[in-house]
Amino acid sequence: MKRSGPLYTLLGGLLLALFMLSLNATTGAGNSSYGGDSPGGAPPAPSASKPAKDTPSPTPTKSPSKSPSKKPAGKSEYAGRTADDAAAVSISIRDDKAIAYYCNGRDAESWLKGDVEDDGSMRLTGKHGAKLDGTLAGNAVTGKVEVGKQPRDFTAARAKKPSGLYRATTEVRGAKIDGGWIVLPDGRQVGIVKRDDKPRKAPRLDPETGAVTVDGARITARPVVP
């Protein structure tokens, strides 16, 4: 019985050692599965930032070049005749607006108006379905004019003063007077005067002053401006 004392002592020491090892394993500063989130743990090292890639500058977009306008600047006049020589045509243009006059010098006439596009094309319209489709190219307007359902080709060349288009609207002895004149580049004149809407051949006007005598009264025809 006396020999069991050292055995108990040895067994108690062994149990104490095992307890200390277990305590050290649970409280020691070992690696934690929570990393930096664990209390008292060192904060994680900042990750190295990747250098930003240079962003290429956007290539400037070139706007398509606009074709130069074929319209003459300011005011211009054109006068000529139809291909069958049945009538005269005159066109007055200012910027993008146009007024045209078709006249056979006897009993048929029409005033037409409309816009001129940048490419020089124009589509003018008048009363009773009258229309003129033309194209300005260089020093002339060419196209087709239709008055009274009779289409005719025409060419109107650039006209210099006193050539061009004239009009007079007034009253003479109680009658309404409305006259139109085309002065061609060669000096010829084609026109109609309506007295109370009754057409007749227009008397010759003075293209330098626009003066003309109608029914014994002196009146003034002025250049037409769109």
Side-chain angles (χ1 to χ4, degrees), residues 181-199:
W181 288 261
I182 297 173
V183 179
L184 298 168
D186 61 5
R188 290 182 296 165
Q189 295 185 13
V190 181
I192 285 179
V193 169
K194 285 184 177 180
R195 188 176 190 272
D196 288 337
D197 289 329
K198 295 179 181 180

Side-chain angles (χ1 to χ4, degrees), residues 74-77 91-100 111-116 124 165 223-226:
K75 187 176 183 294
S76 56
E77 299 281 339
I91 304 171
S92 178
I93 298 174
R94 185 173 64 176
D95 299 328
D96 61 349
K97 302 296 181 183
I99 290 180
W111 292 93
L112 310 98
K113 62 181 180 179
D115 296 331
V116 182
L124 315 182
L165 181 56
V224 174
V225 179

